[in-house]
Amino acid sequence: MTKRTRRPVETGLSRRQLLKATGSTAALLAAAKLNFPAGAFAQDAGPEVKGAKLGFIALSDAGPLFVAKDKGLFAKYGMPDTEVLKQASWGTTRDNLVLGSEGNGIDGAHILTPMPYLISAGKVTQNNQPTPMYILARLNLDAQCISVAKEYADLKVGADASALKAAFEKKKAEGKSVKVAMTFPGGTHDLWIRYWLAAGGIDPDKDVETITVPPPQMVANMKVGTMDAFCVGEPWPGQLVHQGIGYTAVNTGEIWSKHPEKSLGMRAAWVDKNPKAAKAILMAVMEAQQWADKMENKAELAAIMAKRQWINCPVEDIADRAKGKFDYGIPGKVVENSPHIMKYWRDHASYPFRSHDLWFMTEDIRWGKYEAGFDSKALIGKVNREDMWRDAAKTLGVAAADIPASTSRGKETFFDGKVFDPENPAAYLKSLAIKRVEV
């Protein structure tokens, strides 16, 4: 501020007095006397801080964070010092969120949607100590994939996983282990592969061994035969196909069309302390989502995401699927203009529907991450900040058609005919044959 002041001799205030007065009524009076140029105190109306530390995992659905940083959108909204920091795994992301930036951790992250709930409830933290979190936005819909090892190529497994049941039983009878990988227990990829296996009559806890592998390590692990199937986001399923190590059995959008995936999650304490800064970050990310969703920007988006500091992989491993072209790695199965392309903005992709968070929590009850009867809606009321999203959308001038009228998207139908009614999650749980909870 002192750089903008005139010489103290003109004001009758010493430099020390001016500094002491900063942030007080005296400072405002001094400013009036000094006749500062317009906008000299604009920062008083802007974000409380100039930056935040945001984590990400090397995945295409972190694209909006990369775009917001590379294209200066954080700076545009008054947060030029925002850092976007690569995390080694979702477990590392959790640990750094618990620490917070004051403890050399992070303030927020590109994150698996169930994680802010698991962290807030103390279900996945050291000593079960809760760290309250907020979800400010969804980052994308669709475009995760379940991949199967090349040894099962003759089965050409798709949405129906039942053909793997006998194959897995045969392998186990030969004394070999059968492993399927996901990225974090209770996270989205865990829930997709569990849903898919269970729908095919395969119990993910009894018929196979479910292991945790960080996304960037999936392809290398399948290459050396560590696992039989895995679920992860792009670009790793595409890279697997390019390297001829396995094939895409199903795009998760084929399991549940227009399903929610990652979120922008932040520590509640940081947001409560810096509400304007949190809104500025949210606006930057929302603008980046709109840019990333336009087809004419997909080539540039792929180039940005492939950069060393972001995903760090060949751009060809990203580009086709980013544009909606899916080569499943099965002869004759190449889909152009897939309806299950990763969506960053269209179809209300950015809005965090509370009904979707309820599905994730219901599935985590299904698999024993929460106890039966857990009050999911109460926790959603604390964690889901769709009110902040609406406020940011209004400030951004988002069209009314792009702002949902309700916090619920209503009933959701899955590929196997199961229906999730957010008004009756217990009925949904009861309809599922394989689960760890009695309803």
Side-chain angles (χ1 to χ4, degrees), residues 227-271:
M227 79 265 290
D228 298 84
F230 67 72
C231 183
V232 74
E234 297 294 348
W236 311 116
Q239 185 178 88
L240 182 85
V241 169
H242 285 166
Q243 294 187 13
I245 301 165
Y247 63 97
T248 296
V250 63
N251 178 318
T252 50
E254 298 170 66
I255 294 174
W256 175 12
S257 181
K258 300 177 185 176
H259 72 73
E261 183 49 42
K262 305 297 190 301
S263 291
L264 173 63
M266 296 199 74
R267 285 171 55 92
W270 193 92
V271 174

Side-chain angles (χ1 to χ4, degrees), residues 211-336:
I211 62 174
T212 304
V213 176
Q217 297 177 26
M218 287 289 191
V219 176
N221 272 272
M222 187 168 273
K223 191 172 186 177
V224 297
T226 304
M227 79 265 290
D228 298 84
F230 67 72
C231 183
V232 74
E234 297 294 348
W236 311 116
Q239 185 178 88
L240 182 85
V241 169
H242 285 166
Q243 294 187 13
I245 301 165
Y247 63 97
T248 296
V250 63
N251 178 318
T252 50
E254 298 170 66
I255 294 174
W256 175 12
S257 181
K258 300 177 185 176
H259 72 73
E261 183 49 42
K262 305 297 190 301
S263 291
L264 173 63
M266 296 199 74
R267 285 171 55 92
W270 193 92
V271 174
D272 291 343
K273 184 179 179 181
N274 306 293
K276 294 177 183 177
K279 180 178 178 179
I281 287 172
L282 181 52
M283 289 169 68
V285 170
M286 289 167 71
E287 183 172 328
Q289 287 181 281
Q290 293 175 61
W291 183 91
D293 214 41
K294 294 177 181 176
M295 193 56 67
E296 62 265 29
N297 294 333
K298 295 297 184 183
E300 185 182 352
L301 173 65
I304 290 172
M305 294 196 293
K307 287 182 178 181
R308 182 180 181 86
Q309 71 266 35
W310 304 136
I311 295 177
N312 189 27
C313 75
V315 70
E316 54 267 25
D317 287 344
I318 301 177
D320 278 355
R321 292 189 175 197
K323 297 174 184 175
K325 180 180 179 181
F326 283 80
D327 179 350
Y328 282 68
I330 297 171
K333 192 172 182 182
V334 178
V335 177
E336 302 277 358

Side-chain angles (χ1 to χ4, degrees), residues 347-365:
D347 299 320
H348 302 309
S350 177
Y351 177 76
F353 284 100
R354 291 188 172 190
S355 60
H356 289 164
D357 289 0
L358 181 60
W359 180 85
F360 284 119
M361 294 200 68
T362 302
E363 280 289 309
D364 272 336
I365 290 172

Side-chain angles (χ1 to χ4, degrees), residues 34-53:
L34 289 169
N35 190 29
F36 279 138
F41 279 85
Q43 64 266 33
D44 289 349
E48 302 83 356
V49 291
K50 295 300 180 186
K53 295 182 184 294

Side-chain angles (χ1 to χ4, degrees), residues 106-128:
I106 56 179
D107 304 304
H110 148 254
I111 199 165
L112 299 164
T113 287
M115 285 184 67
Y117 290 100
L118 292 164
I119 294 169
S120 294
K123 298 296 184 181
V124 295
T125 52
Q126 190 172 10
N127 301 321
N128 301 117

Side-chain angles (χ1 to χ4, degrees), residues 7-317:
R7 291 174 296 172
V9 69
E10 297 178 17
T11 67
L13 290 174
S14 71
R15 183 174 182 274
R16 179 175 293 178
Q17 287 172 318
L18 275 171
L19 290 173
K20 188 176 180 180
T22 299
S24 67
T25 303
L28 296 175
L29 291 172
K33 287 181 181 180
L34 289 169
N35 190 29
F36 279 138
F41 279 85
Q43 64 266 33
D44 289 349
E48 302 83 356
V49 291
K50 295 300 180 186
K53 295 182 184 294
L54 304 177
F56 76 93
I57 296 289
L59 290 162
S60 296
D61 39 36
L65 270 64
F66 309 154
V67 170
K69 184 62 179 177
D70 274 22
K71 291 193 169 292
L73 298 179
F74 289 125
K76 175 181 176 179
Y77 292 103
M79 298 290 285
D81 299 335
T82 297
E83 297 178 70
V84 180
L85 306 166
K86 186 176 286 187
Q87 309 294 297
S89 66
W90 292 118
T92 304
T93 301
R94 169 205 57 203
D95 294 344
N96 282 329
L97 282 167
V98 170
L99 288 171
S101 61
E102 293 177 356
N104 293 319
I106 56 179
D107 304 304
H110 148 254
I111 199 165
L112 299 164
T113 287
M115 285 184 67
Y117 290 100
L118 292 164
I119 294 169
S120 294
K123 298 296 184 181
V124 295
T125 52
Q126 190 172 10
N127 301 321
N128 301 117
Q129 186 65 37
T131 296
M133 296 278 298
Y134 290 152
I135 285 176
L136 305 188
R138 203 78 71 214
L139 289 178
N140 69 300
L141 305 179
D142 290 346
Q144 313 302 292
C145 290
I146 296 173
S147 302
V148 177
K150 199 173 183 177
E151 67 177 283
Y152 304 102
D154 60 319
L155 297 178
K156 296 181 180 178
V157 180
D160 181 0
S162 60
L164 285 171
K165 187 173 177 66
F168 286 169
E169 288 173 352
K170 181 176 182 291
K171 190 170 183 178
K172 287 170 68 177
E174 294 169 354
K176 300 173 184 175
S177 63
V178 175
K179 296 180 181 180
V180 300
M182 47 75 193
T183 62
F184 188 85
T188 57
H189 302 124
D190 188 23
L191 299 182
W192 304 137
I193 202 162
R194 284 174 174 273
Y195 192 100
W196 178 71
L197 289 169
I202 302 167
D203 191 312
D205 292 318
K206 299 175 182 178
D207 297 334
V208 298
E209 182 183 347
T210 305
I211 62 174
T212 304
V213 176
Q217 297 177 26
M218 287 289 191
V219 176
N221 272 272
M222 187 168 273
K223 191 172 186 177
V224 297
T226 304
M227 79 265 290
D228 298 84
F230 67 72
C231 183
V232 74
E234 297 294 348
W236 311 116
Q239 185 178 88
L240 182 85
V241 169
H242 285 166
Q243 294 187 13
I245 301 165
Y247 63 97
T248 296
V250 63
N251 178 318
T252 50
E254 298 170 66
I255 294 174
W256 175 12
S257 181
K258 300 177 185 176
H259 72 73
E261 183 49 42
K262 305 297 190 301
S263 291
L264 173 63
M266 296 199 74
R267 285 171 55 92
W270 193 92
V271 174
D272 291 343
K273 184 179 179 181
N274 306 293
K276 294 177 183 177
K279 180 178 178 179
I281 287 172
L282 181 52
M283 289 169 68
V285 170
M286 289 167 71
E287 183 172 328
Q289 287 181 281
Q290 293 175 61
W291 183 91
D293 214 41
K294 294 177 181 176
M295 193 56 67
E296 62 265 29
N297 294 333
K298 295 297 184 183
E300 185 182 352
L301 173 65
I304 290 172
M305 294 196 293
K307 287 182 178 181
R308 182 180 181 86
Q309 71 266 35
W310 304 136
I311 295 177
N312 189 27
C313 75
V315 70
E316 54 267 25
D317 287 344

